[in-house]
Amino acid sequence: MSDASVACEGCNRKFKSDAALKQHVRDRKDAAHDSIPTGGDKKPKKVVRAKSIASTLKAPSSPNSLTKAKRSKDGWFLQGTGTQLVSVQSSEVQPGDVAVTSDGGYELLCSYNWIIRPQPTVYVPGEPPRLVTRSLPMRVSPDSGVHFIDQNSCRVPKYPFEVVFQAMNVMNPTFKFNDLDVLTNRNSLRHLLDFCRGKCRDSFRIDLYLVQNTLVIERRERSTKEMIRGYGNSGFGHSFEEAVTEAQPGMADIAGHHRVLRYDLGGLNCAVRFEVDAVHGTPEVENSSQKTDAPPTDAPPGNPVDQLTQSLENVAVGSSNRRHSYPGARSVQVIVRGTAPPQTQAAEIKSIRRNGKPLSTILPQLWFGRTPYLVRGYHDNGNFTLIRSENVEENLKDWEVKDQNQMALRGVVSLLGQLREVVRGSETKSCVAFCVGEKPLKLQVFSTAQKKMPLPEQVIERFWKTD
């Protein structure tokens, strides 16, 4: 018998035959193996975090300089851009007059879990994994393999927000977005908050659209996945999260729980999407309309999901060529499964080196996601000796009223209003904005070279009333 072997590109495990390798790839349920064809012969594409982008990109002042910038290694920021419309300096942002507070509460619009399948598929309403207790000390391996940076854009690159409306059609089918001022991801709000505080933790780009009066802000990354090599500064965040959570029964193949909350932000009616790491305590149910005993199968014809499917039958996500679609096609398959535990049980999980991140650096993320629980695992090179799980709602209230934070939050509100008016005045009603991190900090806004909408026309017609 030959000693030859073949190795899996996702985990480097060796197999004696191609057939065994193919079966292994089909059986594994993680991002690294999900990105490998069942043939097992294609390496995951190496990707780079946005923070590796150089901070030397200059706003072009002429067609020649624009062409030169597009050819540079940082030129992806300028992909699809047209004319520069405005450049906003961080120091020039004027805070709004309305106090920004979380006292007004929030409304859960929808939730879903991505699951590991070649075809983009979600459980709706889905549910986060639950926290489990582990004996300490506990050692975990360094992060390795392929992990998502932006799973929504990775799964549905043409319309990253469309999955929200597939979930809305199950959980909140009569809701209309006409009164929504902003639809965005939490990540984008965090970038804008840092900008208004005169900071830029990572260079970033956001894509801006106007649907009637709603400003839609798409997250934009250079790559939607990253390859972590498992050595050097790989970190332990992914491995720690896997070690202290456990999927609910029937949810073993989940790959991220996402929610959309509606709340007031200094007078702006906002819908914010974000990921929830875990549910704290015994899962409860948000309300009876969001609990389902339906069998775990694709929604049958005739239900609300199928109605939306019919309206999207000519949409082929990821391709601008409609001939790739066929009657009944949908960009995201929807399976009605799970319960929606209340947001009061949502938890964020962090791995922290001893004397690492202070709480104040984590609170903005929790504040924009209205996440009350924080689980911190303290470690020394992967050896975890302390896990703290605490309710930080009082910390969040204290954070929002501090003068420097309040002024920055009001600045975000003012900036969002300004960006909406810039997009409204653009010819294509779509723009690109980016900040590259060099001083003085500037948010540079360009028109798009061609008109592009953030959602299929049929979705807009369904969820925005027409006059």
Side-chain angles (χ1 to χ4, degrees):
M1 180 179 293
S2 172
D3 292 331
S5 63
V6 288
C8 173
E9 298 294 348
C11 62
N12 294 322
R13 182 177 171 185
K14 293 184 178 180
F15 297 86
K16 293 183 178 180
S17 68
D18 287 334
L21 172 61
K22 292 177 183 178
Q23 185 62 49
H24 165 74
V25 171
R26 285 193 292 267
D27 291 343
R28 288 302 298 267
K29 297 175 180 178
D30 55 34
H33 294 78
D34 189 35
S35 65
I36 303 173
T38 53
D41 57 354
K42 184 177 179 181
K43 293 184 178 181
K45 182 179 179 182
K46 181 180 179 181
V47 299
V48 183
R49 283 188 181 277
K51 65 181 179 182
S52 66
I53 300 166
S55 59
T56 57
L57 181 63
K58 301 290 186 181
S61 56
S62 68
N64 288 337
S65 61
L66 176 59
T67 301
K68 183 177 180 180
K70 286 184 176 179
R71 291 175 179 172
S72 74
K73 64 179 180 179
D74 303 321
W76 77 273
F77 269 169
L78 291 165
Q79 288 177 359
T81 59
T83 305
Q84 183 170 1
L85 301 177
V86 67
S87 178
V88 181
Q89 282 199 29
S90 172
S91 59
E92 296 174 348
V93 176
Q94 297 297 315
D97 297 328
V98 179
V100 178
T101 174
S102 57
D103 288 344
Y106 52 79
E107 175 188 3
L108 175 65
L109 295 183
C110 67
S111 61
Y112 58 90
N113 280 83
W114 286 110
I115 64 176
I116 303 297
R117 287 192 181 183
Q119 165 73 17
T121 307
V122 292
Y123 291 147
V124 177
E127 56 188 298
R130 65 183 181 91
L131 289 167
V132 293
T133 302
R134 300 299 186 195
S135 299
L136 298 176
M138 174 183 70
R139 177 168 289 280
V140 303
S141 302
D143 294 341
S144 63
V146 178
H147 294 271
F148 292 110
I149 296 174
D150 180 5
Q151 185 168 189
N152 293 295
S153 295
C154 182
R155 299 285 192 186
V156 194
K158 186 175 182 181
Y159 298 118
F161 273 114
E162 187 188 349
V163 62
V164 167
F165 295 89
Q166 295 278 15
M168 288 286 296
N169 203 62
V170 174
M171 298 177 64
N172 223 336
T174 62
F175 186 89
K176 298 300 180 183
F177 279 69
N178 296 71
D179 294 332
L180 262 291
D181 294 300
V182 180
L183 171 62
T184 184
N185 295 291
R186 175 179 62 185
N187 177 270
S188 300
L189 292 177
R190 293 175 63 198
H191 278 305
L192 294 178
L193 178 70
D194 282 346
F195 176 79
C196 290
R197 299 171 74 174
K199 301 177 181 179
C200 188
R201 52 191 172 92
D202 292 321
S203 298
F204 68 91
R205 167 176 162 167
I206 51 178
D207 290 357
L208 310 171
Y209 307 90
L210 197 67
V211 178
Q212 293 192 20
N213 196 46
T214 306
L215 176 66
V216 180
I217 305 177
E218 273 185 10
R219 179 178 180 177
R220 184 71 181 271
E221 301 286 351
R222 185 175 185 178
S223 297
T224 56
K225 291 182 180 181
E226 64 176 342
M227 170 66 81
I228 302 178
R229 298 298 181 182
Y231 53 81
N233 295 321
S234 295
F236 298 87
H238 295 289
S239 297
F240 175 66
E241 184 175 330
E242 291 174 4
V244 298
T245 59
E246 186 176 86
Q248 307 287 355
M251 310 287 286
D253 53 351
I254 59 174
H257 179 79
H258 299 259
R259 296 191 150 194
V260 179
L261 296 185
R262 184 192 65 80
Y263 56 76
D264 177 86
L265 185 69
L268 292 178
N269 191 9
C270 297
V272 181
R273 175 172 65 181
F274 56 95
E275 186 172 2
V276 173
D277 290 339
V279 59
H280 186 278
T282 303
E284 301 173 6
V285 180
E286 184 78 16
N287 61 54
S288 59
S289 67
Q290 292 167 2
K291 183 175 182 179
T292 175
D293 295 321
T297 57
D298 288 318
N303 73 1
V305 177
D306 193 68
Q307 295 170 16
L308 182 58
T309 297
Q310 295 302 315
S311 71
L312 301 177
E313 62 182 7
N314 290 322
V315 177
V317 170
S319 170
S320 60
N321 193 333
R322 291 191 174 191
R323 69 174 181 269
H324 294 302
S325 65
Y326 53 89
R330 65 178 77 169
S331 61
V332 180
Q333 297 293 322
V334 175
I335 298 175
V336 180
R337 184 184 295 189
T339 60
Q343 188 63 22
T344 53
Q345 290 186 281
E348 178 71 23
I349 299 174
K350 298 289 186 184
S351 68
I352 301 175
R353 295 184 184 274
R354 288 289 185 179
N355 302 318
K357 285 184 178 181
L359 178 61
S360 60
T361 63
I362 304 172
L363 290 177
Q365 178 182 3
L366 304 183
W367 192 89
F368 281 121
R370 300 298 191 262
T371 304
Y373 284 97
L374 175 62
V375 179
R376 286 178 284 181
Y378 294 88
H379 70 96
D380 181 10
N381 198 32
N383 184 37
F384 287 81
T385 55
L386 174 64
I387 298 177
R388 295 181 61 184
S389 178
E390 56 189 321
N391 187 302
V392 294
E393 289 178 290
E394 289 301 318
N395 303 85
L396 292 171
K397 286 299 300 179
D398 292 341
W399 178 86
E400 76 178 33
V401 299
K402 285 186 178 179
D403 188 64
Q404 61 177 355
N405 300 328
Q406 180 63 205
M407 290 301 103
L409 287 169
R410 294 189 189 191
V412 171
V413 174
S414 176
L415 184 57
L416 288 171
Q418 184 176 353
L419 291 175
R420 179 164 61 172
E421 293 311 307
V422 172
V423 180
R424 194 191 309 277
S426 68
E427 184 176 350
T428 59
K429 298 298 183 289
S430 55
C431 295
V432 169
F434 58 80
C435 175
V436 295
E438 64 179 8
K439 299 292 185 177
L441 284 184
K442 295 179 181 179
L443 189 66
Q444 302 182 67
V445 185
F446 289 76
S447 64
T448 55
Q450 296 180 336
K451 183 177 178 61
K452 178 182 181 295
M453 294 302 291
L455 293 163
E457 183 178 343
Q458 296 90 339
V459 171
I460 294 173
E461 291 175 354
R462 183 179 180 88
F463 286 96
W464 276 265
K465 292 179 181 178
T466 55
D467 296 331

